[in-house]
C-alpha cells in the first residue's frame, strides 16, 4: 500500500494534551492506581442538553475529533473510523445495573442503545451530518492500528481522500474494581511504579481519546507520513527480534535508519520483557517510553501516536520520555511498538514530511 499522511492530531489524555505547549508541560505519574483524563469545557463544543446523555468516551471523542478536523481544515471527512477496546463502558454498566435492579423487567432501552461500541463513530457522524463510510474496530490494544490500516485501504482504493481516524477508551468504577481483583491494576503496596525496571505485576490504568485526519495528499499542516503498520496477535519473547527485523526489511530500512523508538513500557514485569528485548536491536536510536505519562489502557497507542506526531513536526523530544542518552540532530523515522499484557503486538512506522 502507498503511504498516507497524518494531517492533524488531537488528543485528550491524563496530560493537558489540548495545550499547544504540551511537549514542555508533561508530568509523569507513578504513584496513583488510576489516572483520570484532563477534560475540556464540554459546553463550548456540545449543547448542554446533549452533554448529560453522553458518556465520557463520547464527550472526549466529540471534542478531540472537532479539534482534529478543525486543524486539518475539513468540515466533513470522507470516512469516520474509530478504534476502541472497551467502548462505552459507562452506559454498558448502567444497562446491566438496570437489568439487575429491575429483575429483567420494564427496562428502558436508552442505556443499551448508547452502550454499543460504535456509538462514538455514530455520534460524531450525526454531529457532522456525515453519511459516509462509518466503521468501528474493537481489537483490544491494536484497535487504532486496525483503524489506520482501514483508512489506508480506503485512500489507496480511491474510496476516500480524507479520513477521520480515532481511538478512545474510558474508565468505569465497576470495571476498575474487577481489574483490581484480577491484579491487572497494581496493588497500592507496589506503588510508586518503576516503569522501566519493575519487579511487580500490574499497571497504572489511564484513559483518553486521540483523533487524526489521514489524507491522500500532504498539506501545510501535515505531521507525518504513515508508512506502514504490522500487527501480530501472539508473539513469543524470542520472536521479537525477527518480528521487528522483518518489518524493517519490508520497508527497506535497517535499525540504523530508525531515529527514535517509542516503547510501551507499562511497569508490568511479565509483559515488559518484550520491550527490554527490543532495546537491544536499536543501540544507536533514541529509545523513548510514554505510559508513565498516559497510563495503560486498550488504546494507549493513540497517545504515543500523538506524541510521535508532535516530535516529528517540532523536532523535539521531551527529556521525560528518554530511556537512553542517544539524541539525534534530525528525527526522520520513528517506530512505535505496543502491546497489552503480551498480546496484540503492533508496529507503526512514521516518517517526517
Amino acid at each position: 500500500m502507498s503511504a498516507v499522511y497524518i494531517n492533524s492530531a488531537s488528543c485528550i489524555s491524563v496530560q493537558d494534551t489540548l495545550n499547544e505547549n504540551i511537549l514542555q508541560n508533561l508530568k509523569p505519574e507513578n504513584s496513583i492506581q488510576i489516572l483520570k483524563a484532563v477534560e475540556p469545557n464540554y459546553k463550548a463544543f456540545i449543547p448542554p442538553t446533549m452533554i448529560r446523555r453522553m458518556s465520557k468516551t463520547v464527550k472526549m471523542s466529540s471534542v478531540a475529533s472537532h479539534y482534529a478536523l478543525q486543524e486539518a481544515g475539513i468540515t466533513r471527512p470522507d470516512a469516520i473510523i474509530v478504534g476502541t477496546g472497551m467502548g462505552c463502558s459507562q452506559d454498558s454498566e448502567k444497562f446491566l445495573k438496570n437489568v439487575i435492579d429491575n429483575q429483567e423487567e420494564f427496562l428502558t432501552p436508552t442505556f443499551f442503545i448508547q452502550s454499543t461500541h460504535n456509538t462514538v463513530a455514530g455520534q460524531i457522524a450525526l454531529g457532522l451530518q456525515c453519511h459516509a463510510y462509518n466503521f468501528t474496530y474493537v481489537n483490544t490494544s491494536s484497535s487504532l492500528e486496525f483503524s489506520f490500516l482501514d483508512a489506508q485501504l480506503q485512500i489507496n482504493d480511491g474510496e476516500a481522500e480524507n479520513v477521520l481516524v480515532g481511538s478512545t477508551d474510558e474508565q468505569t468504577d465497576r470495571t476498575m474494581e474487577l481489574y483490581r481483583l484480577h491484579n491487572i491494576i497494581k496493588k497500592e503496596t507496589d506503588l510508586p511504579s518503576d516503569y522501566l525496571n519493575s519487579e511487580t505485576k500490574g499497571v497504572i490504568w489511564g484513559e483518553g481519546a486521540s483523533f487524526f485526519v489521514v489524507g491522500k495528499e500532504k498539506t501545510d499542516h501535515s505531521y507525518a507520513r504513515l508508512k506502514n503498520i504490522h500487527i501480530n496477535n501472539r508473539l513469543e519473547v524470542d520472536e521479537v527480534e525477527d518480528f521487528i527485523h522483518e518489518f524493517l526489511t519490508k520497508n527497506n530500512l535497517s535499525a540504523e535508519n530508525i531515529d527514535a523508538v517509542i516503547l510501551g513500557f507499562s511497569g508490568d514485569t511479565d509483559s515488559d520483557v518484550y520491550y527490554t528485548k527490543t532495546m537491544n536491536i536499536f543501540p544507536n536510536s533514541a529509545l523513548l517510553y510514554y505510559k508513565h505519562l498516559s497510563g495503560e489502557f486498550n488504546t494507549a497507542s493513540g497517545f504515543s501516536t500523538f506524541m510521535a506526531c508532535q516530535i516529528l513536526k517540532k523536532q523535539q523530544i521531551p527529556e521525560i520520555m528518554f530511556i537512553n542518552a542517544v539524541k539525534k540532530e534530525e528525527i526522520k523515522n520513528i517506530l512505535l511498538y505496543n502491546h497489552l499484557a503480551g498480546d496484540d503486538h503492533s508496529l507503526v512506522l512514521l516518517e517526517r514530511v
Side-chain angles (χ1 to χ4, degrees):
M1 284 192 293
S2 301
V4 294
Y5 296 90
I6 297 178
N7 292 331
S8 71
S10 176
C11 180
I12 292 175
S13 69
V14 301
Q15 303 289 327
D16 187 11
T17 28
L18 291 179
N19 190 316
E20 289 184 5
N21 299 317
I22 181 58
L23 295 186
Q24 288 75 43
N25 296 305
L26 294 168
K27 297 175 182 177
E29 181 55 72
N30 65 350
S31 56
I32 300 175
Q33 287 180 302
I34 298 168
L35 304 175
K36 299 289 186 182
V38 177
E39 298 180 84
N41 177 17
Y42 293 124
K43 291 179 182 178
F45 305 93
I46 307 167
T49 53
M50 294 179 66
I51 291 176
R52 62 186 178 85
R53 294 198 299 268
M54 288 182 169
S55 65
K56 190 175 185 178
T57 195
V58 173
K59 290 187 287 188
M60 290 192 299
S61 300
S62 297
V63 175
S65 62
H66 168 84
Y67 274 106
L69 290 168
Q70 186 180 59
E71 185 180 19
I74 292 170
T75 308
R76 198 170 287 136
D78 301 315
I80 298 172
I81 306 172
V82 175
T84 179
M86 298 295 290
C88 299
S89 304
Q90 287 181 5
D91 287 316
S92 297
E93 285 192 7
K94 287 176 184 176
F95 174 70
L96 292 172
K97 188 175 185 300
N98 248 346
V99 172
I100 296 167
D101 292 346
N102 293 289
Q103 297 180 336
E104 303 181 21
E105 296 179 340
F106 312 117
L107 301 173
T108 56
T110 308
F111 291 135
F112 175 73
I113 294 166
Q114 294 176 340
S115 71
T116 57
H117 288 71
N118 59 358
T119 298
V120 174
Q123 286 283 1
I124 293 171
L126 283 170
L128 297 172
Q129 290 297 291
C130 177
H131 304 285
Y133 179 83
N134 192 291
F135 207 87
T136 300
Y137 283 90
V138 187
N139 299 81
T140 61
S141 65
S142 54
S143 300
L144 175 63
E145 289 76 7
F146 274 106
S147 300
F148 274 134
L149 278 172
D150 192 356
Q152 243 183 325
L153 285 167
Q154 295 292 323
I155 292 169
N156 285 178
D157 290 346
E159 298 291 332
E161 289 193 4
N162 293 289
V163 181
L164 178 66
V165 179
S167 64
T168 182
D169 274 299
E170 65 186 2
Q171 299 163 355
T172 55
D173 294 339
R174 180 58 178 159
T175 301
M176 294 302 101
E177 186 182 334
L178 292 171
Y179 280 8
R180 283 192 179 98
L181 288 172
H182 284 273
N183 296 320
I184 294 170
I185 292 175
K186 276 198 185 296
K187 297 176 182 177
E188 286 190 2
T189 52
D190 293 332
L191 298 175
S193 174
D194 184 344
Y195 277 84
L196 298 178
N197 302 290
S198 177
E199 296 180 357
T200 58
K201 296 180 181 181
V203 300
I204 291 175
W205 204 260
E207 62 181 352
S210 303
F211 275 78
F212 312 87
V213 171
V214 178
K216 180 181 180 181
E217 303 293 340
K218 174 185 171 183
T219 70
D220 294 337
H221 303 287
S222 294
Y223 282 84
R225 182 183 289 110
L226 177 59
K227 291 198 71 177
N228 208 344
I229 297 169
H230 186 54
I231 300 162
N232 198 327
N233 179 244
R234 291 280 188 273
L235 199 67
E236 298 298 327
V237 175
D238 57 7
E239 296 174 330
V240 170
E241 291 192 19
D242 288 340
F243 175 61
I244 292 173
H245 281 305
E246 285 174 13
F247 179 72
L248 293 176
T249 302
K250 191 183 296 183
N251 290 282
N252 299 314
L253 296 171
S254 68
E256 294 294 321
N257 301 127
I258 303 299
D259 302 300
V261 183
I262 302 182
L263 301 168
F265 277 99
S266 65
D268 176 56
T269 186
D270 288 347
S271 59
D272 280 350
V273 291
Y274 289 95
Y275 301 126
T276 305
K277 192 85 171 177
T278 302
M279 290 169 62
N280 300 327
I281 304 171
F282 300 97
N284 300 314
S285 303
L287 299 176
L288 315 175
Y289 70 127
Y290 67 93
K291 285 178 183 172
H292 60 313
L293 304 171
S294 69
E296 175 70 287
F297 55 103
N298 283 271
T299 51
S301 60
F303 182 86
S304 69
T305 306
F306 173 79
M307 292 305 300
C309 288
Q310 298 293 325
I311 290 167
L312 284 169
K313 191 168 188 177
K314 297 174 181 176
Q315 289 293 293
Q316 298 174 25
I317 299 177
E319 288 293 330
I320 200 70
M321 292 182 70
F322 275 102
I323 297 173
N324 63 359
V326 176
K327 296 185 179 181
K328 301 281 186 173
E329 290 185 11
E330 180 188 13
I331 307 156
K332 184 180 178 184
N333 292 307
I334 295 183
L335 180 68
L336 286 70
Y337 175 28
N338 185 58
H339 65 72
L340 180 64
D343 293 330
D344 299 303
H345 301 256
S346 65
L347 295 172
V348 178
L349 179 61
L350 299 179
E351 182 183 69
R352 185 186 183 188
V353 292

